[in-house]
Amino acid sequence: MPTAIDGTSLPSRLKLAGLYRSHIHERLPILTPRKKAPPPQNPLPVPETPSLPPPADFSKIDFQDPTRRILSPCDHELFQTSPTYSLILSFVFSLSEAAADKKLSYFHDVLIPDIVKNILSILSSVEEIIAQCPPVEQGGSRFGNPSFRGFLDTIASQSSSWHSLLGLQSPSAISEISTYLHNSFGNRARIDYGSGHELNFIIWLLCLNRLSILPPSTFASLTLLVFPRYIRLMRKIQSTYYLEPAGSHGVWGLDDYHFLPFLFGASQLLHHPYIRPLSIHNELILEEEGDEYLYLNMVRETMASKSVKGLKWTQPMLDDISGAKNWQKVEQGMRRMFVKEVLGKLPVMQHFLFGTLVPAAEGMSKEEEVGVKREEEEMEGGEVAIEHDGVKHVHRNDAWGDCCGIKIPSTIAAAQEAKRKGGEDGFRRIPFD
């Protein structure tokens, strides 16, 4: 029998080798395939649409002029846990859902409710007032034009007759509801406009809903007809009176003035067969589809108002959002942003007005109790701190100073002035790009 050098027989060696091979799997670590790390989870859950409560009983309402009630962080916290907070979320998200997968031209072939026609007529009347209150010469200034104050005063003088078209006869009801319409076009003292004023327009519609004037059956027409008409009107007001952006951070990273068109517009595109979030960089799609979808329309108008080409330079937040997988992700993100950057921001909500149809929560401060001026009389927009020895204005550390009415010239004004001076109507290059 053959033997190995060490004296062991060859069969014994082979047997030992076989045993080694048979147990080698017990000695080696188990190999498992690598798994992709899960994507980071957004700590803020997607806000759901609360149930819309039934309309109020008109005969039991004691109307009053709306006033500010969010005058401190404590007031803001009370608001965020109040029924009014849920009411606003319910109405805004219901408007958004009513626009899902519908083009702006959807109502061209659908019967428009008479009440919606009356609201569109009111917005047309507001536009006519612009011609009656032309801007004054400001020597090339890009800041707000003082003629805007006369424009708002004319709106206030005609408001009662407009609201009678909507079926309102009570002077006290008209006084409360019209306050929101007056504040939908900008601040009279500061000559600025932001997402808080845009929210006032939505609250005006909400008040009409609370009185059963705008039932849920009208929601799609409000989102696809009334709101786009309001946006077009605001563009004309902004370019005529050089309204200053009311803020420059947070939600305003989407647009200098507006937010809700992006929420409603994302809902329109939820299941579109070929338009993707990345399509906002395709100028052909923006040109061909911008008149049908609010989101694309806003991107197109934003790009046209900037003197630098490229969203990554002018609107980096929009540029980041374009990388989303689908429009469902975008729509969910817009819901989160509305909760966090509009309703959740004290510099925005400190200007919000509460009445009887949109009531304040128990325990919230009152203007007369803390000794502050009314919203239309106050030049600054900062938070009010309530102290034992009085009231004082304090600067917010998380608002970059835009809570205090720091003047920010509008890009629209810059473009308009450049055209008036015969400047180039084109894009500037970014250095080193």
Side-chain angles (χ1 to χ4, degrees), residues 57 215 261 328 333 416:
D57 186 349
Q328 287 91 334
Q416 293 287 93

Side-chain angles (χ1 to χ4, degrees), residues 49 91-107 216 218-225 260-273 292-295 327-328 331-332 335:
T49 305
F91 188 68
V92 170
F93 291 162
S94 294
L95 291 179
S96 180
E97 291 170 357
D101 301 320
K102 295 183 180 71
K103 295 183 177 183
L104 293 179
S105 59
Y106 173 79
F107 278 92
T218 64
F219 284 4
S221 58
L222 294 181
T223 312
L224 300 173
L225 285 175
L260 288 176
F262 294 97
L263 170 61
F264 298 161
S267 183
Q268 283 184 278
L269 291 161
L270 274 178
H271 304 100
H272 198 280
E292 292 287 3
Y293 298 98
L294 278 169
Y295 196 102
W327 287 109
Q328 287 91 334
E331 195 267 347
Q332 292 171 0
R335 284 183 175 234

Side-chain angles (χ1 to χ4, degrees), residues 250-304:
V251 68
W252 299 276
L254 295 175
D255 181 79
D256 287 344
Y257 298 107
H258 299 282
F259 170 73
L260 288 176
F262 294 97
L263 170 61
F264 298 161
S267 183
Q268 283 184 278
L269 291 161
L270 274 178
H271 304 100
H272 198 280
Y274 64 86
I275 297 179
R276 301 290 182 262
L278 203 60
S279 299
I280 66 171
H281 300 284
N282 187 320
E283 294 185 6
L284 182 60
I285 287 181
L286 293 179
E287 182 64 29
E288 291 184 347
E289 304 287 357
D291 292 334
E292 292 287 3
Y293 298 98
L294 278 169
Y295 196 102
L296 302 181
N297 186 277
M298 292 301 297
V299 172
R300 187 177 68 183
E301 293 297 325
T302 295
M303 293 176 63

